Amino acid sequence: FLGGCFGNGVLLFDILRHSDMRTKSNACIAHLAVADILSLVLHLPLSYWDVAHATWDLDETTCKCFIMSKDLVVTLVVFTVLGLSFERFLVVRSSFRLKAVAKDVGPVLILGTVWVYAIVTCIPSFLAATVHDRCLASPPGRADCLQKAWTFQLFMNSLMPVAAIASLNVATAYI
């Protein structure tokens, strides 16, 4: 916990302190550091709490944030790496048309879109989470709802972005 917060904090400090470090690629790297810190601060302590206690003694909102934070961080990281792969593809590609697109689409727009998408796709996790002695991802007896949500997240937040990242990397390598 402390090592992760310290390392990511130093990285963010360096990027913010030195103006020559504020590049498009470093914006994505800083975004990954922020996502990692969010994971460490939101998810790690609550995971230890959940494992160490037989019942969930915290409130339901904390349970909802705990369940949602895992999905949020995974989505943020995967789509940030997708953004980095897309940026690298555009940089390697010599087409003037693609370079114009890369110049116009800044990291703020890409990362802002990643945040909006991550939050929107994690809302079902937040709404479904409940406390029933333990912090649960869905109310007891609603396994079908949970299965549908996890299947959606698997395809939209994991398999499709990884396939896109692989495709972009192959296209970048063979241009």
Side-chain angles (χ1 to χ4, degrees):
F1 176 81
L2 294 176
C5 286
F6 177 76
N8 287 310
V10 168
L11 176 70
L12 289 173
F13 176 77
D14 283 345
I15 289 174
L16 294 175
R17 183 166 186 235
H18 303 289
S19 61
D20 59 328
M21 294 288 290
R22 295 185 212 134
T23 64
K24 287 182 184 181
S25 294
N26 284 349
C28 290
I29 300 299
H31 190 260
L32 288 170
V34 168
D36 196 26
I37 289 172
L38 275 175
S39 175
L40 291 169
V41 171
L42 290 177
H43 196 69
L44 189 64
L46 293 174
S47 291
Y48 285 131
W49 174 271
D50 190 40
V51 169
H53 295 85
T55 61
W56 185 266
D57 298 329
L58 304 173
D59 64 340
E60 189 167 352
T61 303
T62 306
C63 170
K64 289 177 178 288
C65 290
F66 168 60
I67 296 294
M68 187 179 109
S69 69
K70 168 186 55 76
D71 300 333
L72 181 70
V73 170
V74 167
T75 304
L76 289 174
V77 168
V78 168
F79 278 91
T80 301
V81 172
L82 177 60
L84 280 168
S85 296
F86 181 68
E87 179 186 12
R88 186 176 65 165
F89 170 77
L90 292 178
V91 168
V92 170
R93 188 82 173 164
S94 62
S95 168
F96 291 111
R97 183 173 47 92
L98 289 176
K99 284 187 179 180
V101 170
K103 186 177 181 181
D104 292 340
V105 178
V108 173
L109 178 63
I110 291 171
L111 298 177
T113 304
V114 166
W115 271 95
V116 169
Y117 177 80
I119 290 171
V120 167
T121 59
C122 292
I123 288 174
S125 298
F126 181 83
L127 295 175
T130 187
V131 175
H132 188 75
D133 292 329
R134 308 252 335 154
C135 181
L136 303 173
S138 70
R142 294 294 315 262
D144 60 327
C145 176
L146 185 63
Q147 183 180 11
K148 288 176 185 174
W150 284 353
T151 302
F152 172 80
Q153 289 175 347
L154 173 67
F155 283 105
M156 297 304 292
N157 299 346
S158 297
L159 296 179
M160 289 181 65
V162 168
I165 290 167
S167 299
L168 286 168
N169 288 340
V170 167
T172 301
Y174 292 106
I175 290 179

